Amino acid sequence: MNDLRWIHVTGPHGDGVVCEQGAHVADWTPAEHAPVLFLSGASRMEPGSPIRGGVPVIFPWFGEDPEDRGRPAHGFARRLPWDVVETAEGPDGVRVSLQLADDEETRRMWPHRFALRLEAVFGAALEMSLRVENRDDAPLRFEEALHTYLAVGDVREAKLRGLEGTTYVDKLDGFARRTSGDEPLVFDREIDRVYLGTDATCRVDDPVLGRTLTVAKEGSRSTVVWNPWIDKAARLDDLDDDDWMAMLCVESGNVADDAITLAPGESHVIRVTITAA
Ligand code: TA6
């Protein structure tokens, strides 16, 4: 049976799970806390299908195929098997490293040579890094994101701080560009926004679970905030109808205006640190 392969990590400060497909962090449960990442119970768990929840690795484009050629939404990296490079106990927790390099299949979809490396440290914090290397002899332009699904008690009671006064693209209103107000973000409808030019740390206050989740980042200028709300959740067959209440995507990447261009041989790293308190 051609099943997905999983790496289970346990440590004194927290446990985690990574799927080799997509180097997909599927769970992080710090000691003394409930799981910090949302994972859909209805997710397809089969080779080639994106996992709904956790931290999908989005590369080399964000959203629909930019050339409208029918290539997979959010790129191909999350659908392919990565190679496990290392699993090692360290001072901050257990580190798992995986890599993906171009091959005939990726070059048919995207004619470039590259290498990706995803590292995740599962401890009192979840530390993730995504390194992109240009192995081509021409410049490499790409979008990327660590598409984090946070677990919340009830999104209607949550507040997101850190994106006040920030320009965003509203994907629900013809990609119109707006600037957010001075108040924390609250959730009473579907939201799908790409905040641009921001390296801000985001904090999600969750009064239902009695915690604040912090998403700090380096090397990322875009933050995407998404909740499907009732109607879109009902249309997604890999999400249970009420799951919209239990999740909030706070994604760290480089999208649209913030896309990255690397010279031959150059590399770029995004780092994301998630904590619960
Ligand atoms: O993160 C925002 C978004 O681009 C939404 O528009 C929604 O499509 C979400 O990603 C999930 O995309 P997926 O391809 O995983 O269903």
Side-chain angles (χ1 to χ4, degrees):
M1 180 73 166
N2 184 11
D3 286 333
L4 296 179
R5 294 156 58 95
W6 302 84
I7 303 160
H8 294 262
V9 165
T10 57
H13 305 297
D15 299 341
V17 178
V18 186
C19 185
E20 291 184 17
Q21 174 177 282
H24 195 125
V25 174
D27 173 64
W28 171 55
T29 304
E32 328 281 308
H33 275 279
V36 172
L37 302 178
F38 167 84
L39 184 67
S40 168
S43 177
R44 280 183 292 279
M45 295 294 190
E46 58 206 34
S49 294
I51 295 167
R52 177 70 65 193
V55 185
V57 174
I58 308 301
F59 178 88
W61 56 81
F62 186 91
E64 297 305 320
D65 177 355
E67 296 176 10
D68 199 18
R69 289 166 39 198
R71 299 174 298 174
H74 283 332
F76 48 73
R78 63 176 177 167
R79 295 168 178 259
L80 295 175
W82 291 42
D83 296 323
V84 179
V85 176
E86 178 195 32
T87 304
E89 180 92 27
D92 299 328
V94 180
R95 174 190 310 277
V96 181
S97 303
L98 303 98
Q99 67 182 21
L100 177 74
D102 63 279
D103 60 15
E104 279 182 27
E105 180 182 9
T106 66
R107 289 193 295 272
R108 267 196 304 276
M109 289 185 276
W110 195 60
H112 302 288
R113 306 194 62 93
F114 67 89
L116 306 183
R117 187 176 179 113
L118 188 282
E119 294 194 352
V121 178
F122 298 90
L126 171 59
E127 299 173 5
M128 295 177 287
S129 65
L130 176 65
R131 181 177 182 270
V132 179
E133 179 190 351
N134 178 1
R135 288 189 168 171
D136 227 317
D137 53 11
L140 192 71
R141 181 186 184 281
F142 60 90
E143 294 176 311
E144 60 183 347
L146 294 175
H147 188 302
T148 303
Y149 285 73
L150 298 175
V152 294
D154 185 337
V155 72
R156 294 169 297 187
E157 304 299 327
K159 280 188 181 176
L160 190 159
R161 295 177 282 134
L163 295 172
E164 295 82 3
T166 306
T167 299
Y168 66 91
V169 174
D170 188 343
K171 292 180 63 175
L172 301 177
D173 186 10
F175 292 77
R177 290 186 178 223
R178 297 195 171 89
T179 301
S180 49
D182 296 337
E183 294 302 312
L185 205 48
V186 294
F187 305 95
D188 60 3
R189 70 197 71 186
E190 181 181 359
I191 185 171
D192 195 347
R193 297 180 179 180
V194 180
Y195 289 82
L196 297 171
T198 173
D199 58 4
T201 293
C202 289
R203 289 178 174 82
V204 176
D205 296 329
D206 179 350
V208 173
L209 292 183
R211 67 185 183 188
T212 292
L213 300 180
T214 298
V215 182
K217 61 176 191 172
E218 295 171 31
S220 156
R221 299 286 295 157
S222 314
T223 296
V224 182
V225 179
W226 176 58
N227 184 283
W229 214 251
I230 302 164
D231 294 347
K232 180 154 192 185
R235 296 197 301 270
L236 293 172
D237 62 7
D238 57 357
L239 202 58
D240 289 327
D241 288 357
D242 292 343
D243 274 349
W244 60 273
M245 281 189 274
M247 56 159 281
L248 178 62
C249 284
V250 180
E251 308 156 36
S252 312
N254 290 295
V255 177
D257 309 15
D258 298 325
I260 301 287
T261 299
L262 292 178
E266 263 193 338
S267 295
H268 177 272
V269 180
I270 288 183
R271 297 186 195 288
V272 175
T273 301
I274 300 176
T275 52

